[in-house]
Amino acid sequence: MGSSSSSFPPGNIYLDVDGKVQKVVFSRHCSPCDIKELLCSSSNLPRNTAIKVLNPEGAMVSIDATMPANSPNFLYKVVPLSTDQPGDREDMFQSVLSQVAEQFTRAFRISELKSEVTNRLAALEKRVEMEGLKVVEIEKCKNDLKKLRDEMTSRGGSRVSCSCKFNFSEDGKKVTPRRDVPTYPKYTLSQETIEALKKPTFDVWHWEHNEMLSCLEFMYHDLGLVKEFNMNPIILKRWLLAIQENYRNNPFHNFRHCFCVSQMMYGMIHLCNLQGKLTLTDLGILMTTAVCHDLDHPGYNNTYQINARTELAVRYNDISPLENHHCAVAFQILSLPECNIFANVDPEAFKKIRQAIITLILATDMARHGEILEGFKQKLDNFDFSNEEHVMCLQKVLIKCCDISNEVRPTEVAEPWVDCLLEEYFMQSDREKSEGLPVAPFMDRDKVTKPTAQIGFIKFVLIPMFETVMKLFPQIEEIMVQPLRDSRDHYEELKQLEDSMTEESSFMSRLKKDLKSE
């Protein structure tokens, strides 16, 4: 990684200006036009004056970033040109042509420039982050960063350091990439918070986005993933911020949901002692899948995408369009050098990591729930943690468990998520009605209630899946399976209450009708 501006030392020349020595310093990145303006200014000439530079022997010196340095004993002189002379006009014309050629060269070198500037920015930021510089040194680094950003802007490299936002508007077209500064405040987590993070009882509603980012950063360090994949800590920060920026503000499928799923995965890793059973690479795959699994979710499910024939459905041939999109966005972010947490991983190893993450994100499509759970059940009796196929089946079930694990949490944490999910469902069903598309009964605001929405899902999806995992990890029964049973009982009681109120209301209506008829 390039370390600093020392790779490109500035140019120094000395001028004779009205009998006095004038020193001029310029960057090696300056264009001839920039240097000419600097020479005019140093020689008290209007900035647009046509000039030439002569050495003491009267020979002309080229005006560009590679012009030979001189000394105070061998002074150059800036001489204005008369624009009336044909030769001078020809020189000016040649100069303009040279500048145009140089600009074209720069345009073709934009990729090299992007890598160079990104590396230099990362090095400067790492100095501030890792070395605990004194106040004066920190200010100097900030000035250096500002100069680099100004330099990038002056070169017209508008995409050099952008943290792209790969989301789609309502009509399915890409939005202009955003250029947010990839930083967020660092929070020191208390020991109480660190311990709470390892449990399903963690209350996800009390945390701001910046705090959740710091918690995710801590998880990667605590599990040893930063060391295992040789991650640059600054790039880990940038990646997490880019992840947050690429979750939309949906009622349910938003960054807080991403954090919930990731925190539950972190908790299951500790609860099931997966550090002693899986490799660090497997743990990194699980955590990264949890973080990325719903990137840029539009708030309308696969059924809507397919029925409405959206761009996503067309692009992915109606096959898990959302999950395929989440994968694509995840790897678009990782393709940015400034966000690639796997930059130091061997290419062959990264290929396997990428394939595993794609497989796991695609496994979160609920249309494949039965198939995936059945495949895991078949391996339970002779489960082998050294068998790659067995481990992949387990990983699929683990990411599925975490993705739909809200009801494992305490009621006061879980119930607000039901409201959020129903709000998102109702938004979709309202749109489906307005567009003349089929509406699922469990999403129709005129037909569904909290108890009816939750009872079937808990009884026939959540409890069977978690009880299957419990056969491999009996320790989850008390802290994960029992809360699901309690939640089922809670909603069944609410359903009975709803039914009795409905029956009472119906009875009163019939009674009033009978009284009127008499």
Side-chain angles (χ1 to χ4, degrees):
M1 179 177 292
S3 59
S4 70
S5 58
S6 61
S7 303
F8 301 92
N12 299 308
I13 61 170
Y14 296 88
L15 300 177
D16 176 359
V17 180
D18 299 330
K20 296 179 181 179
V21 177
Q22 174 70 50
K23 183 179 179 181
V24 178
V25 180
F26 55 88
S27 166
R28 291 298 188 186
H29 298 296
C30 285
S31 67
C33 183
D34 294 334
I35 296 174
K36 284 181 180 179
E37 289 188 6
L38 185 59
L39 294 175
C40 287
S41 176
S42 301
S43 303
N44 302 319
L45 296 172
R47 58 184 291 187
N48 293 324
T49 304
I51 60 171
K52 62 183 177 181
V53 176
L54 303 176
N55 68 15
E57 298 171 351
M60 288 186 64
V61 180
S62 64
I63 303 176
D64 56 47
T66 62
M67 63 193 300
N70 61 340
S71 70
N73 298 323
F74 191 77
L75 299 176
Y76 291 162
K77 186 153 188 162
V78 176
V79 179
L81 293 175
S82 170
T83 56
D84 293 333
Q85 298 178 16
D88 291 338
R89 286 198 299 271
E90 184 177 342
D91 288 344
M92 288 179 63
F93 180 69
Q94 290 298 329
S95 174
V96 170
L97 282 179
S98 297
Q99 291 177 39
V100 171
E102 181 178 352
Q103 293 302 318
F104 272 105
T105 302
R106 288 186 179 187
F108 287 112
R109 291 180 62 245
I110 193 67
S111 177
E112 178 185 340
L113 172 63
K114 175 177 179 178
S115 177
E116 169 201 326
V117 176
T118 298
N119 289 340
R120 290 168 65 190
L121 276 172
L124 287 167
E125 289 175 342
K126 189 171 182 180
R127 283 175 58 197
V128 177
E129 174 75 11
M130 306 297 289
E131 297 177 15
L133 301 177
K134 296 178 181 178
V135 175
V136 175
E137 292 172 315
I138 290 174
E139 287 303 315
K140 182 179 182 303
C141 284
K142 286 181 179 177
N143 290 336
D144 289 343
L145 287 169
K146 184 177 184 303
K147 287 178 183 176
L148 280 171
R149 290 192 179 99
D150 291 344
E151 186 177 319
M152 287 156 50
T153 302
S154 69
R155 294 187 189 191
S158 61
R159 296 264 333 244
V160 170
S161 67
C162 66
S163 290
C164 293
K165 189 174 182 68
F166 296 99
N167 63 5
F168 289 78
S169 59
E170 290 300 320
D171 60 0
K173 295 182 180 177
K174 265 194 178 178
V175 175
T176 303
R178 295 183 56 174
R179 301 187 63 214
D180 299 318
V181 178
T183 58
Y184 56 87
K186 183 175 179 61
Y187 294 88
T188 302
L189 304 185
S190 67
Q191 192 59 39
E192 181 183 5
T193 299
I194 290 171
E195 290 306 313
L197 271 175
K198 299 174 183 176
K199 300 173 183 176
T201 52
F202 187 83
D203 190 344
V204 297
W205 294 106
H206 290 169
W207 304 85
E208 300 297 330
H209 279 189
N210 285 340
E211 295 169 321
M212 290 188 280
L213 286 167
S214 285
C215 287
L216 290 170
E217 184 183 358
F218 169 81
M219 293 175 199
Y220 270 74
H221 281 279
D222 181 58
L223 291 172
L225 304 180
V226 175
K227 185 176 180 181
E228 173 68 14
F229 297 112
N230 193 19
M231 294 180 190
N232 182 329
I234 303 299
I235 288 180
L236 174 62
K237 283 177 176 287
R238 280 207 201 94
W239 176 71
L240 286 171
L241 187 79
I243 291 292
Q244 183 229 317
E245 287 294 328
N246 281 279
Y247 273 92
R248 300 197 196 184
N249 294 322
N250 299 315
F252 184 91
H253 290 99
N254 50 40
F255 179 65
R256 193 175 299 276
H257 167 67
C258 152
F259 177 72
C260 270
V261 176
S262 303
Q263 185 269 321
M264 187 63 74
M265 180 65 76
Y266 178 70
M268 290 196 78
I269 287 171
H270 284 282
L271 183 62
C272 301
N273 189 28
L274 293 181
Q275 300 103 314
K277 296 179 174 65
L278 301 179
T279 66
L280 278 174
T281 297
D282 289 330
L283 298 185
I285 289 167
L286 282 171
M287 286 300 300
T288 305
T289 299
V291 170
C292 298
H293 81 285
D294 268 336
L295 274 166
D296 197 42
H297 195 298
Y300 301 94
N301 68 14
N302 280 332
T303 301
Y304 174 81
Q305 305 296 326
I306 294 167
N307 289 339
R309 301 177 185 175
T310 64
E311 182 185 341
L312 287 182
V314 172
R315 180 181 303 146
Y316 296 112
N317 304 308
D318 294 350
I319 302 170
S320 302
L322 289 183
E323 289 72 26
N324 273 294
H325 179 57
H326 305 325
C327 290
V329 176
F331 286 98
Q332 280 176 315
I333 293 172
L334 284 170
S335 72
L336 300 171
E338 63 269 32
C339 295
N340 185 6
I341 56 173
F342 297 117
N344 296 321
V345 173
D346 175 80
E348 279 303 310
F350 175 73
K351 201 172 180 180
K352 292 181 179 178
I353 291 170
R354 169 176 156 80
Q355 188 55 58
I357 291 173
I358 291 171
T359 300
L360 294 190
I361 292 179
L362 292 178
T364 61
D365 184 352
M366 286 303 294
R368 300 182 56 204
H369 176 80
E371 159 210 336
I372 291 170
L373 188 58
E374 188 57 36
F376 179 61
K377 285 179 179 178
Q378 291 174 6
K379 295 174 176 56
L380 266 182
D381 291 339
N382 300 295
F383 195 86
D384 182 1
F385 283 97
S386 64
N387 184 309
E388 287 186 12
E389 185 182 351
H390 286 208
V391 170
M392 177 53 71
C393 282
L394 172 62
Q395 287 178 308
K396 288 180 186 177
V397 172
L398 287 175
I399 188 61
K400 285 176 59 57
C401 284
C402 295
D403 187 22
I404 53 178
S405 61
N406 285 326
E407 291 303 326
V408 170
R409 301 182 186 274
T411 303
E412 64 273 15
V413 179
E415 196 154 354
W417 281 115
V418 183
D419 294 322
C420 293
L421 185 61
L422 288 178
E423 182 183 348
E424 197 165 295
Y425 280 174
F426 295 158
M427 286 171 54
Q428 175 171 322
S429 61
D430 290 347
R431 182 167 181 171
E432 286 169 332
K433 289 174 184 177
S434 70
E435 294 177 0
L437 299 174
V439 178
F442 69 89
M443 301 180 80
D444 192 333
R445 69 171 71 246
D446 300 322
K447 297 178 181 178
V448 72
T449 63
K450 270 191 192 180
T452 58
Q454 291 299 95
I455 291 172
F457 188 67
I458 296 171
K459 285 175 67 173
F460 303 115
V461 177
L462 289 178
I463 291 178
M465 181 167 64
F466 276 85
E467 285 182 340
T468 302
V469 175
M470 185 179 73
K471 293 177 182 177
L472 194 60
F473 303 107
Q475 61 267 45
I476 75 168
E477 179 170 17
E478 181 182 351
I479 198 168
M480 301 186 87
V481 178
Q482 190 55 46
L484 288 175
R485 295 166 181 160
D486 294 340
S487 180
R488 172 199 61 197
D489 296 343
H490 166 69
Y491 282 112
E492 284 183 338
E493 288 175 8
L494 285 181
K495 177 71 165 59
Q496 289 175 4
L497 184 60
E498 270 188 6
D499 291 345
S500 63
M501 291 177 67
T502 302
E503 187 176 339
E504 182 180 348
S505 175
S506 177
F507 173 76
M508 293 302 294
S509 296
R510 288 198 306 272
L511 182 60
K512 287 179 182 178
K513 186 176 180 181
D514 291 342
L515 289 173
K516 284 182 180 180
S517 63
E518 290 178 1

